[in-house]
């Protein structure tokens, strides 16, 4: 049976539609589509009574906890202190979605050669879905804390990380990038963030 965080079971009204659609609670292995993942994260992010009592923002490390694990999906709540970021990674072939519950984060997007192609800003209320080949890094480069909710399907696929490289080189590419308003084709977005920069002649459109 699905594993639910106590925040989702304390009040029966919190784990029914639209928060947790039936396909997200299945015991049978499968994949939840991008639109459902995006809508799920957006719905959860839009109800502070679910995540506000749970979230923490720690200056010493990025904080996170799992809200849901079923045979079809996993959902995570993540707290971002200013200056915190992930490594460059994919999600092992899983579909995914991210919604910003508060604050703002930036998403550096990469191609399959681990070359940065675009930087997107996602603010409170933004929700974006991304395909199985998506490679990115998420960062809080602002001055305030941020809170995000993430969903992946199928669940528990191992992430793959970019080969070790000089992070200063990566940031230099971003700093010299050319702004654009194009939207990457690897993502399905609703109220998605704006482009901060695109990099390289091979940037996805």
């Amino acid at each position: 049976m699905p594993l639910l965080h106590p925040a989702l079971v304390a009040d029966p009204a919190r784990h029914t539609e639209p928060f947790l659609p039936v396909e997200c609670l299945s015991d049978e292995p499968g994949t939840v589509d991008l639109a459902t993942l995006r809508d799920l994260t957006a719905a959860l992010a839009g109800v502070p009574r679910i995540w506000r009592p749970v979230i923490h923002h720690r200056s010493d490390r990025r904080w996170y906890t799992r809200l849901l694990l079923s045979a079809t999906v996993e959902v995570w709540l993540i707290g971002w202190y200013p200056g915190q970021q992930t490594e460059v990674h994919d999600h092992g072939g899983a579909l995914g979605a991210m919604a910003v519950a508060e604050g703002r984060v930036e998403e550096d997007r990469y191609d399959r050669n681990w070359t940065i192609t675009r930087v997107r800003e996602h603010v409170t209320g933004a929700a974006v879905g991304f395909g199985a080949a998506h490679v990115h890094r998420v960062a809080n480069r602002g001055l305030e804390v941020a809170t995000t909710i993430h969903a992946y399907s199928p669940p528990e696929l191992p992430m793959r990380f970019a080969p070790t490289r000089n992070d200063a080189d990566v940031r230099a590419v971003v700093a010299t990038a050319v702004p654009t308003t194009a939207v990457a084709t690897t993502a399905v977005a609703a109220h998605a963030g704006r482009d901060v920069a695109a990099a390289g002649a091979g940037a996805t459109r």
Side-chain angles (χ1 to χ4, degrees):
M1 61 182 299
L3 299 177
L4 294 169
H5 191 281
L8 293 176
V9 296
D11 179 349
R14 296 183 187 180
H15 59 91
T16 57
E17 298 274 7
F19 303 123
L20 297 181
V22 63
E23 58 265 43
C24 296
L25 299 173
S26 176
D27 289 327
E28 296 297 323
T31 301
V32 176
D33 64 80
L34 278 178
T36 299
L37 292 176
R38 183 195 62 216
D39 292 347
L40 171 62
T41 58
L44 290 169
V47 185
R49 73 172 186 268
I50 292 176
W51 52 265
R52 180 70 70 188
V54 181
I55 191 65
H56 294 281
H57 300 95
R58 297 183 49 162
S59 61
D60 60 329
R61 64 176 177 85
R62 189 163 48 93
W63 180 95
Y64 50 88
T65 191
R66 189 165 59 194
L67 297 179
L68 166 67
L69 174 63
S70 72
T72 58
V73 70
E74 58 182 317
V75 178
W76 293 85
L77 174 66
I78 302 179
W80 306 81
Y81 199 80
Q84 293 176 341
Q85 64 181 19
T86 67
E87 297 179 55
V88 180
H89 64 281
D90 69 8
H91 290 279
L95 303 178
M98 175 181 70
V100 182
E102 64 177 342
R104 70 178 184 88
V105 296
E106 288 187 4
E107 181 192 11
D108 303 337
R109 296 182 178 177
Y110 293 75
D111 63 23
R112 297 305 295 176
N113 294 317
W114 308 103
T115 300
I116 192 167
T117 60
R118 189 174 306 279
V119 180
R120 296 277 283 171
E121 180 185 61
H122 304 292
V123 299
T124 302
V128 60
F130 46 85
H134 197 66
V135 179
H136 67 175
R137 180 210 330 252
V138 179
N140 179 1
R141 300 186 179 120
L143 300 177
E144 305 293 334
V145 299
T147 299
T148 55
I149 296 176
H150 304 243
Y152 308 105
S153 181
E156 299 193 304
L157 296 183
M159 294 189 298
R160 294 170 291 204
F161 296 91
T164 302
R165 60 190 300 183
N166 187 332
D167 190 65
D169 293 340
V170 175
R171 296 299 298 141
V173 171
V174 177
T176 59
V178 179
T180 179
T181 57
V183 177
T185 58
T186 55
V188 176
H191 306 294
R194 66 181 180 86
D195 285 330
V196 175
T204 52
R205 300 291 179 181

